Amino acid sequence: MESTWDSYYGVTKKFLLLTGQWPHQDRNDKVLRLSVITMAILVMLVPQIKALTDRVFIDWEGLRKNPEEYKIMKTYVANARWIVFMYSTVCLVSVTVFVMVSLVPYILDRVLPLNESRPIVLPYEAYYFVDERKYFFYIFSQGFVAAEIVVIGLVAYDTMFMTFVEHLCGIFSVTGFRFERLVREDTDVMEIVRNDLGVVYNKRIAYCVEMHCAAIEFAGHLEETFSLNFGIELLLVTIVMSITLFQVTSQSNIVEAMRYLIYVIAQLVHLFVFCWEGQRLIDHSLQIRDKM
């Protein structure tokens, strides 16, 4: 068997060994390689996320001087909190229902028994090399915990992006507010030709432009940090959703069809939220032009 793998699947095996995912690999070596890969990913992502987080703190400190601007940002923070809460709730409820559907055949066997037991439905497709009916609750518990942990990790990453986007939308809104106040407050003053007033006006313009440039720079960092990851995620979601929809249409088991349908709905919500956040960011950026 080993010679067969080396002959026909040698490249695949080498990559699996390199990344610590070969099932027959030494346990210590596997843990070491997985740890190295995880650390490499964190080394790439953490500094970028730290830069974005530090920028958020700097922006908040600068807004404390103006109650009106501070109030605008609080509105966007409240909006971000609501979006994060709703998104995380939908994701966690969806994965919980997805896994809990596995209990339906077991419950029906107790409530509405048939001449023979209904087929076992696992939390997700896997082979455990044991009697699945005998050890069903152990498998179910492991699947439930694993699914929740994975989804919580994904939700944490996604909600971080949403929070940054809402913060950036707030910064664009505050910048537009400053441009509006600049014109409205200085309409009469602009008609008076005096050097000192001209200097004050130029300083205010420079202050607005500086904040706008900082917002654009923040948007650039945000794109660099998340664009590649979300591009890959979008590709995978599209492929998986296509496969899942095919399984829904070809599924004769109602319980399994319900599970796949729940998964499709969750993915649609996932895509909608990110497209909506991206469009909000574009709209807020373009609104600056109308307020100048």
PDB file of all heavy atoms in Angstrom, residues 102 105-106 109 117-123 131-134 136 139 253 256:
ATOM      1  N   SER A 102     -29.690  15.893  13.231  1.00  0.00           N
ATOM      2  CA  SER A 102     -29.247  14.497  13.327  1.00  0.00           C
ATOM      3  C   SER A 102     -30.037  13.713  14.365  1.00  0.00           C
ATOM      4  O   SER A 102     -30.100  12.477  14.310  1.00  0.00           O
ATOM      5  CB  SER A 102     -27.755  14.452  13.682  1.00  0.00           C
ATOM      6  OG  SER A 102     -26.980  15.132  12.728  1.00  0.00           O
ATOM      7  N   PRO A 105     -34.127  11.428  13.447  1.00  0.00           N
ATOM      8  CA  PRO A 105     -34.440   9.992  13.316  1.00  0.00           C
ATOM      9  C   PRO A 105     -34.471   9.263  14.656  1.00  0.00           C
ATOM     10  O   PRO A 105     -35.328   8.391  14.876  1.00  0.00           O
ATOM     11  CB  PRO A 105     -33.300   9.468  12.429  1.00  0.00           C
ATOM     12  CG  PRO A 105     -32.816  10.656  11.690  1.00  0.00           C
ATOM     13  CD  PRO A 105     -32.950  11.792  12.642  1.00  0.00           C
ATOM     14  N   TYR A 106     -33.546   9.630  15.543  1.00  0.00           N
ATOM     15  CA  TYR A 106     -33.503   8.979  16.861  1.00  0.00           C
ATOM     16  C   TYR A 106     -34.777   9.282  17.652  1.00  0.00           C
ATOM     17  O   TYR A 106     -35.361   8.396  18.289  1.00  0.00           O
ATOM     18  CB  TYR A 106     -32.278   9.460  17.620  1.00  0.00           C
ATOM     19  CG  TYR A 106     -32.109   8.828  18.980  1.00  0.00           C
ATOM     20  CD1 TYR A 106     -31.499   7.587  19.121  1.00  0.00           C
ATOM     21  CD2 TYR A 106     -32.573   9.473  20.125  1.00  0.00           C
ATOM     22  CE1 TYR A 106     -31.353   6.999  20.369  1.00  0.00           C
ATOM     23  CE2 TYR A 106     -32.430   8.892  21.374  1.00  0.00           C
ATOM     24  CZ  TYR A 106     -31.817   7.662  21.495  1.00  0.00           C
ATOM     25  OH  TYR A 106     -31.684   7.080  22.732  1.00  0.00           O
ATOM     26  N   ASP A 109     -37.773   7.453  16.185  1.00  0.00           N
ATOM     27  CA  ASP A 109     -37.765   6.033  16.552  1.00  0.00           C
ATOM     28  C   ASP A 109     -38.387   5.803  17.923  1.00  0.00           C
ATOM     29  O   ASP A 109     -38.938   4.726  18.197  1.00  0.00           O
ATOM     30  CB  ASP A 109     -36.331   5.496  16.544  1.00  0.00           C
ATOM     31  CG  ASP A 109     -35.829   5.234  15.140  1.00  0.00           C
ATOM     32  OD1 ASP A 109     -36.671   5.110  14.225  1.00  0.00           O
ATOM     33  OD2 ASP A 109     -34.598   5.162  14.951  1.00  0.00           O
ATOM     34  N   SER A 117     -35.388   0.306  12.654  1.00  0.00           N
ATOM     35  CA  SER A 117     -34.872   1.624  13.025  1.00  0.00           C
ATOM     36  C   SER A 117     -34.590   2.461  11.783  1.00  0.00           C
ATOM     37  O   SER A 117     -34.193   1.939  10.736  1.00  0.00           O
ATOM     38  CB  SER A 117     -33.586   1.481  13.847  1.00  0.00           C
ATOM     39  OG  SER A 117     -33.838   0.773  15.042  1.00  0.00           O
ATOM     40  N   ARG A 118     -34.805   3.738  11.921  1.00  0.00           N
ATOM     41  CA  ARG A 118     -34.516   4.649  10.819  1.00  0.00           C
ATOM     42  C   ARG A 118     -33.005   4.793  10.645  1.00  0.00           C
ATOM     43  O   ARG A 118     -32.244   4.620  11.599  1.00  0.00           O
ATOM     44  CB  ARG A 118     -35.146   6.018  11.086  1.00  0.00           C
ATOM     45  CG  ARG A 118     -36.673   6.005  11.058  1.00  0.00           C
ATOM     46  CD  ARG A 118     -37.233   7.351  11.464  1.00  0.00           C
ATOM     47  NE  ARG A 118     -38.685   7.412  11.310  1.00  0.00           N
ATOM     48  CZ  ARG A 118     -39.564   6.971  12.191  1.00  0.00           C
ATOM     49  NH1 ARG A 118     -39.121   6.415  13.323  1.00  0.00           N
ATOM     50  NH2 ARG A 118     -40.859   7.065  11.977  1.00  0.00           N
ATOM     51  N   PRO A 119     -32.564   5.156   9.436  1.00  0.00           N
ATOM     52  CA  PRO A 119     -31.119   5.304   9.196  1.00  0.00           C
ATOM     53  C   PRO A 119     -30.516   6.396  10.082  1.00  0.00           C
ATOM     54  O   PRO A 119     -31.138   7.419  10.350  1.00  0.00           O
ATOM     55  CB  PRO A 119     -31.038   5.689   7.715  1.00  0.00           C
ATOM     56  CG  PRO A 119     -32.330   5.232   7.130  1.00  0.00           C
ATOM     57  CD  PRO A 119     -33.351   5.350   8.217  1.00  0.00           C
ATOM     58  N   ILE A 120     -29.296   6.157  10.526  1.00  0.00           N
ATOM     59  CA  ILE A 120     -28.579   7.132  11.338  1.00  0.00           C
ATOM     60  C   ILE A 120     -28.149   8.314  10.466  1.00  0.00           C
ATOM     61  O   ILE A 120     -27.665   8.140   9.344  1.00  0.00           O
ATOM     62  CB  ILE A 120     -27.339   6.492  11.988  1.00  0.00           C
ATOM     63  CG1 ILE A 120     -27.773   5.513  13.076  1.00  0.00           C
ATOM     64  CG2 ILE A 120     -26.413   7.542  12.571  1.00  0.00           C
ATOM     65  CD1 ILE A 120     -28.416   6.171  14.270  1.00  0.00           C
ATOM     66  N   VAL A 121     -28.340   9.517  10.992  1.00  0.00           N
ATOM     67  CA  VAL A 121     -27.885  10.733  10.315  1.00  0.00           C
ATOM     68  C   VAL A 121     -26.804  11.367  11.182  1.00  0.00           C
ATOM     69  O   VAL A 121     -27.078  11.816  12.300  1.00  0.00           O
ATOM     70  CB  VAL A 121     -29.042  11.729  10.095  1.00  0.00           C
ATOM     71  CG1 VAL A 121     -28.524  13.009   9.444  1.00  0.00           C
ATOM     72  CG2 VAL A 121     -30.131  11.099   9.244  1.00  0.00           C
ATOM     73  N   LEU A 122     -25.584  11.392  10.686  1.00  0.00           N
ATOM     74  CA  LEU A 122     -24.471  11.957  11.447  1.00  0.00           C
ATOM     75  C   LEU A 122     -24.482  13.484  11.353  1.00  0.00           C
ATOM     76  O   LEU A 122     -25.057  14.055  10.418  1.00  0.00           O
ATOM     77  CB  LEU A 122     -23.147  11.413  10.914  1.00  0.00           C
ATOM     78  CG  LEU A 122     -22.938   9.898  11.039  1.00  0.00           C
ATOM     79  CD1 LEU A 122     -21.593   9.506  10.448  1.00  0.00           C
ATOM     80  CD2 LEU A 122     -23.030   9.459  12.492  1.00  0.00           C
ATOM     81  N   PRO A 123     -23.848  14.163  12.310  1.00  0.00           N
ATOM     82  CA  PRO A 123     -23.785  15.634  12.246  1.00  0.00           C
ATOM     83  C   PRO A 123     -23.186  16.139  10.943  1.00  0.00           C
ATOM     84  O   PRO A 123     -23.588  17.173  10.423  1.00  0.00           O
ATOM     85  CB  PRO A 123     -22.903  15.994  13.449  1.00  0.00           C
ATOM     86  CG  PRO A 123     -23.076  14.857  14.392  1.00  0.00           C
ATOM     87  CD  PRO A 123     -23.247  13.638  13.536  1.00  0.00           C
ATOM     88  N   ASP A 131     -19.137   1.317  15.255  1.00  0.00           N
ATOM     89  CA  ASP A 131     -20.574   1.142  15.045  1.00  0.00           C
ATOM     90  C   ASP A 131     -21.262   2.487  15.302  1.00  0.00           C
ATOM     91  O   ASP A 131     -21.358   2.942  16.445  1.00  0.00           O
ATOM     92  CB  ASP A 131     -21.107   0.077  15.999  1.00  0.00           C
ATOM     93  CG  ASP A 131     -22.563  -0.273  15.723  1.00  0.00           C
ATOM     94  OD1 ASP A 131     -23.251   0.516  15.043  1.00  0.00           O
ATOM     95  OD2 ASP A 131     -23.014  -1.326  16.190  1.00  0.00           O
ATOM     96  N   GLU A 132     -21.738   3.119  14.241  1.00  0.00           N
ATOM     97  CA  GLU A 132     -22.288   4.469  14.359  1.00  0.00           C
ATOM     98  C   GLU A 132     -23.566   4.503  15.194  1.00  0.00           C
ATOM     99  O   GLU A 132     -23.827   5.484  15.895  1.00  0.00           O
ATOM    100  CB  GLU A 132     -22.556   5.040  12.967  1.00  0.00           C
ATOM    101  CG  GLU A 132     -21.282   5.243  12.151  1.00  0.00           C
ATOM    102  CD  GLU A 132     -21.568   5.690  10.734  1.00  0.00           C
ATOM    103  OE1 GLU A 132     -22.764   5.680  10.349  1.00  0.00           O
ATOM    104  OE2 GLU A 132     -20.616   6.035  10.021  1.00  0.00           O
ATOM    105  N   ARG A 133     -24.346   3.458  15.138  1.00  0.00           N
ATOM    106  CA  ARG A 133     -25.576   3.431  15.931  1.00  0.00           C
ATOM    107  C   ARG A 133     -25.265   3.251  17.419  1.00  0.00           C
ATOM    108  O   ARG A 133     -25.877   3.882  18.278  1.00  0.00           O
ATOM    109  CB  ARG A 133     -26.498   2.308  15.442  1.00  0.00           C
ATOM    110  CG  ARG A 133     -27.878   2.311  16.087  1.00  0.00           C
ATOM    111  CD  ARG A 133     -28.771   1.278  15.438  1.00  0.00           C
ATOM    112  NE  ARG A 133     -29.000   1.588  14.035  1.00  0.00           N
ATOM    113  CZ  ARG A 133     -29.918   2.457  13.609  1.00  0.00           C
ATOM    114  NH1 ARG A 133     -30.681   3.102  14.478  1.00  0.00           N
ATOM    115  NH2 ARG A 133     -30.069   2.669  12.319  1.00  0.00           N
ATOM    116  N   LYS A 134     -24.303   2.412  17.719  1.00  0.00           N
ATOM    117  CA  LYS A 134     -23.953   2.145  19.109  1.00  0.00           C
ATOM    118  C   LYS A 134     -23.303   3.359  19.762  1.00  0.00           C
ATOM    119  O   LYS A 134     -23.573   3.679  20.926  1.00  0.00           O
ATOM    120  CB  LYS A 134     -23.015   0.941  19.176  1.00  0.00           C
ATOM    121  CG  LYS A 134     -22.589   0.565  20.584  1.00  0.00           C
ATOM    122  CD  LYS A 134     -21.683  -0.656  20.561  1.00  0.00           C
ATOM    123  CE  LYS A 134     -21.236  -1.030  21.968  1.00  0.00           C
ATOM    124  NZ  LYS A 134     -20.323  -2.215  21.958  1.00  0.00           N
ATOM    125  N   PHE A 136     -23.542   6.533  18.712  1.00  0.00           N
ATOM    126  CA  PHE A 136     -24.112   7.718  18.062  1.00  0.00           C
ATOM    127  C   PHE A 136     -23.956   8.976  18.908  1.00  0.00           C
ATOM    128  O   PHE A 136     -23.555  10.034  18.408  1.00  0.00           O
ATOM    129  CB  PHE A 136     -25.593   7.486  17.752  1.00  0.00           C
ATOM    130  CG  PHE A 136     -26.294   8.715  17.253  1.00  0.00           C
ATOM    131  CD1 PHE A 136     -26.078   9.182  15.965  1.00  0.00           C
ATOM    132  CD2 PHE A 136     -27.152   9.429  18.079  1.00  0.00           C
ATOM    133  CE1 PHE A 136     -26.713  10.327  15.500  1.00  0.00           C
ATOM    134  CE2 PHE A 136     -27.795  10.574  17.624  1.00  0.00           C
ATOM    135  CZ  PHE A 136     -27.573  11.017  16.334  1.00  0.00           C
ATOM    136  N   ILE A 139     -20.462  10.320  18.906  1.00  0.00           N
ATOM    137  CA  ILE A 139     -20.174  10.960  17.620  1.00  0.00           C
ATOM    138  C   ILE A 139     -20.910  12.295  17.514  1.00  0.00           C
ATOM    139  O   ILE A 139     -20.356  13.299  17.050  1.00  0.00           O
ATOM    140  CB  ILE A 139     -20.576  10.023  16.462  1.00  0.00           C
ATOM    141  CG1 ILE A 139     -19.727   8.754  16.492  1.00  0.00           C
ATOM    142  CG2 ILE A 139     -20.440  10.731  15.124  1.00  0.00           C
ATOM    143  CD1 ILE A 139     -20.162   7.697  15.494  1.00  0.00           C
ATOM    144  N   ASN A 253     -34.122  11.738   1.161  1.00  0.00           N
ATOM    145  CA  ASN A 253     -34.319  11.795   2.605  1.00  0.00           C
ATOM    146  C   ASN A 253     -34.675  13.229   3.005  1.00  0.00           C
ATOM    147  O   ASN A 253     -33.894  14.165   2.794  1.00  0.00           O
ATOM    148  CB  ASN A 253     -33.044  11.345   3.322  1.00  0.00           C
ATOM    149  CG  ASN A 253     -33.269  11.150   4.810  1.00  0.00           C
ATOM    150  OD1 ASN A 253     -34.077  11.841   5.423  1.00  0.00           O
ATOM    151  ND2 ASN A 253     -32.547  10.207   5.392  1.00  0.00           N
ATOM    152  N   GLU A 256     -32.205  14.915   5.551  1.00  0.00           N
ATOM    153  CA  GLU A 256     -30.965  15.375   4.926  1.00  0.00           C
ATOM    154  C   GLU A 256     -31.213  16.610   4.067  1.00  0.00           C
ATOM    155  O   GLU A 256     -30.404  17.544   4.044  1.00  0.00           O
ATOM    156  CB  GLU A 256     -30.368  14.254   4.072  1.00  0.00           C
ATOM    157  CG  GLU A 256     -29.735  13.130   4.866  1.00  0.00           C
ATOM    158  CD  GLU A 256     -28.429  13.559   5.509  1.00  0.00           C
ATOM    159  OE1 GLU A 256     -27.895  14.614   5.143  1.00  0.00           O
ATOM    160  OE2 GLU A 256     -27.949  12.845   6.406  1.00  0.00           O
TER     161      GLU A 256
END
